[in-house]
Amino acid sequence: MTENNLHITPLGGLGETGALNCMLYHTESTAILVDCGVMFADDRRHPGANVIIPDFSFLEPYADKLAAVVLTHGHEDHIGALPYLLRDYPLPVYGTDFTRGIIAGKLQEFDIKDPDFRELNYDVPVQIGDFKIDPIFVNHSMMDVAALAITQ
């Protein structure tokens, strides 16, 4: 495979804790999202709002090459915006067993039927277009969490 120019664009969460983690990785031919979280609203800054989601209109120019969402774990700041994304972009969703289980219930609440769930297993690489993703087990405050080594 030839090297493509890699671009990484945070849609939220960069340099923050608990804030709508969502990162777009894209080359000339493939785009993936890593995580798709919400940020919990602060009544002083966002009265009447419960959560804030990423601005998915940013994805419109990448829609034809958007191949998947890869989730690291099931905390809301990493998965909470997924139903909003899947309404407009019915993408394959990669995640560990526990993470997919959490998401399944959430997607039912939003009446999203038959999501395209794909298994993410530790130490088993996944090829998504231009990206090779190696899930790596890590300890965190919840179970079944994966760090991702992403290469082209």
Side-chain angles (χ1 to χ4, degrees), residues 64-101:
D64 61 333
K65 61 182 179 178
L66 196 54
V69 179
V70 183
L71 303 172
T72 59
H73 66 289
H75 278 146
E76 283 295 304
D77 63 327
H78 290 262
I79 66 165
L82 190 61
Y84 301 98
L85 174 76
L86 293 180
R87 286 190 307 202
D88 296 326
Y89 300 94
L91 299 166
V93 177
Y94 289 81
T96 60
D97 285 336
F98 186 73
T99 301
R100 289 191 331 265

Side-chain angles (χ1 to χ4, degrees), residues 13 28 58 73 83 124 131 143 149:
E28 294 173 16
F58 183 83
H73 66 289
V124 178
F131 299 103
M143 60 186 271

Side-chain angles (χ1 to χ4, degrees), residues 12-148:
L14 186 64
E16 300 179 49
T17 301
L20 54 98
N21 293 286
C22 189
M23 189 78 71
L24 175 68
Y25 293 75
H26 67 95
T27 63
E28 294 173 16
S29 61
T30 307
I32 61 170
L33 279 179
V34 172
D35 288 335
C36 191
V38 296
M39 180 172 74
F40 298 103
D42 177 346
D43 279 342
R44 292 169 294 188
R45 291 180 33 201
H46 308 101
N50 291 324
V51 295
I52 299 167
I53 64 171
D55 181 1
F56 295 125
S57 67
F58 183 83
L59 299 175
E60 290 172 14
Y62 309 98
D64 61 333
K65 61 182 179 178
L66 196 54
V69 179
V70 183
L71 303 172
T72 59
H73 66 289
H75 278 146
E76 283 295 304
D77 63 327
H78 290 262
I79 66 165
L82 190 61
Y84 301 98
L85 174 76
L86 293 180
R87 286 190 307 202
D88 296 326
Y89 300 94
L91 299 166
V93 177
Y94 289 81
T96 60
D97 285 336
F98 186 73
T99 301
R100 289 191 331 265
I102 293 171
I103 293 164
K106 180 178 289 298
L107 296 182
Q108 283 180 342
E109 291 176 29
F110 283 78
D111 202 30
I112 295 174
K113 297 181 182 356
D114 301 319
D116 185 358
F117 283 140
R118 310 267 175 107
E119 197 167 354
L120 195 63
N121 290 309
Y122 304 110
D123 301 319
V124 178
V126 174
Q127 188 74 41
I128 304 172
D130 292 337
F131 299 103
K132 178 185 171 207
I133 300 170
D134 288 286
I136 303 162
F137 175 82
V138 294
N139 288 318
H140 191 42
S141 60
M142 112 176 323
M143 60 186 271
D144 218 7
V145 178
L148 305 175

